[in-house]
């Protein structure tokens, strides 16, 4: 229904999970898609990249070959779209600007930006919150989205058209037990997204924020099973969502048809925020 033919999308953190589903779904709708991530299968320094990320989850998935950046890009090309898998760390400001310039040179534009990359592997109550992981979460989840927005915005403004998505979480709107760093960054991207929506409106640029609840990605499944069961039971639907539930929402938000929808937080959470009992 939503036709993204001729649009160039950049997705951060596309090696697995929601980012990967976003890449494939946007391509199905017709977009050319650039998959970016710190983890790229054929990168000889993939283990070092995972170490550098200071993320147990990145180290686990790199060692288990749960990395599909190039595979996703290949699947997109097999659909007849243009695609590339590019190593990019959203926390490296110079690299982000260089990669975005390279994308515009190679693909002609950046029309859609999905700020999906995040770290979500630190759960600790406030007294045990690691200072190191606090800094990491702010740097990746919030500053990373800022870096990518700042790099993409001028290209969108030049063409008077753009769509920017921020991945928040219900942890950012409801708070999260043991998730002070993660939840704070997810609340932060809501402020960032609304501000960008205000500034982008005169240039045909919309910015919206998606707040997923519990989605059954590899990262979610790697979590504590008892905690996961409790979270799923909080949803009205009594089940985790699928990555495509998020990807379809994003496909609508970045479509030409969603031109009057901006600065909104769209919760896709199976009713986790309802009075479930
Ligand atoms: N899965 C859920 O239930 C859920 C719920 C709410 C919000 N979210 C949000 O959705 C997004 C994706 O979640 P997911 O479950 O697929 O997580 P995930 O950990 O599987 O994916 C995150 C991706 O980001 C990449 N990444 C990490 N640090 C990076 C960096 N510095 N630069 C570039 N890439 C980096 C990782 O390599 C990975 O591919 C995140 O923003 C997350 O906070 C997920």
């Amino acid at each position: 229904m939503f036709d993204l033919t001729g649009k160039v999308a950049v997705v951060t953190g596309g090696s697995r999970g929601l980012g990967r589903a976003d890449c494939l779904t946007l391509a199905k709708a017709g977009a050319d898609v650039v998959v970016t991530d710190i983890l790229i299968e054929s990168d000889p320094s993939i283990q070092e990249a995972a170490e550098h990320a200071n993320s147990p989850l990145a180290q686990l998935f790199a060692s288990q070959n749960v990395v599909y950046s190039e595979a996703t890009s290949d699947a997109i090309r097999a659909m007849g779209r243009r695609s590339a898998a590019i190593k990019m760390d959203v926390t490296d400001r110079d690299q982000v600007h260089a990669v975005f310039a390279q994308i515009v040179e190679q693909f002609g534009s950046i029309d859609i930006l999905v700020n999906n990359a995040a770290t979500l592997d630190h759960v600790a109550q406030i007294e045990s919150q690691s200072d190191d992981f606090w800094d990491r979460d702010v740097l990746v989840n919030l500053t990373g989205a800022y870096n990518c927005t700042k790099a993409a915005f001028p290209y969108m403004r030049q063409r008077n058209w753009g769509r920017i998505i921020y991945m928040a979480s219900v942890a950012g709107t409801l708070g999260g037990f043991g998730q002070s760093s993660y939840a704070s960054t997810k609340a932060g991207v809501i402020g960032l997204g609304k501000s960008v929506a205000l500034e982008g409106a005169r240039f045909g640029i919309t910015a919206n924020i998606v707040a997923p609840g519990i989605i059954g990605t590899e990262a979610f499944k790697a979590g504590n099973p008892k905690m996961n069961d409790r979270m799923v039971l909080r949803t009205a639907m009594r089940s985790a969502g699928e990555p495509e539930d998020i990807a379809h929402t994003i496909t609508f938000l970045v479509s030409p048809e969603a031109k009057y929808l901006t600065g909104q937080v769209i919760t896709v959470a199976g009713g986790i925020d309802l009075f479930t009992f």
Side-chain angles (χ1 to χ4, degrees), residues 12-20 36-39 53 55 57-58 61 69 88-92 115-120 139-141 167-171 182 186 210-220 246:
T12 68
S15 84
R16 58 176 189 260
L18 298 187
R20 179 166 190 258
T36 68
D37 205 286
I38 44 170
L39 303 180
S55 158
L57 213 51
F61 287 142
S69 301
M88 187 183 82
D89 181 341
V90 296
T91 70
D92 184 337
N115 287 299
N116 168 80
T119 42
L120 40 148
L139 192 60
V140 177
N141 304 1
M167 292 305 294
S169 164
V170 291
Y182 178 74
K186 293 300 173 178
V210 177
I214 309 304
I215 313 294
T217 59
E218 297 94 335
F220 170 72
I246 303 303

Side-chain angles (χ1 to χ4, degrees), residues 162-178:
R163 298 283 186 268
I164 306 179
I165 298 295
Y166 297 88
M167 292 305 294
S169 164
V170 291
T173 53
L174 304 176
F177 188 91

Side-chain angles (χ1 to χ4, degrees), residues 18-55:
L18 298 187
R20 179 166 190 258
D22 295 344
C23 290
L24 293 169
T25 307
L26 292 173
K28 270 186 206 150
D32 298 322
V33 182
V34 181
V35 184
T36 68
D37 205 286
I38 44 170
L39 303 180
I40 304 279
E41 298 90 306
S42 68
D43 177 11
S45 53
I46 188 168
Q47 297 300 340
E48 286 94 317
E51 294 284 335
H52 179 73
N54 187 21
S55 158

Side-chain angles (χ1 to χ4, degrees), residues 170 212-217 220 228 231-232 235 239-242 268-270 272:
V170 291
I214 309 304
I215 313 294
T217 59
F220 170 72
N228 285 356
M231 290 195 285
V232 166
T235 66
S239 63
E242 295 172 0
V268 186
I272 203 168

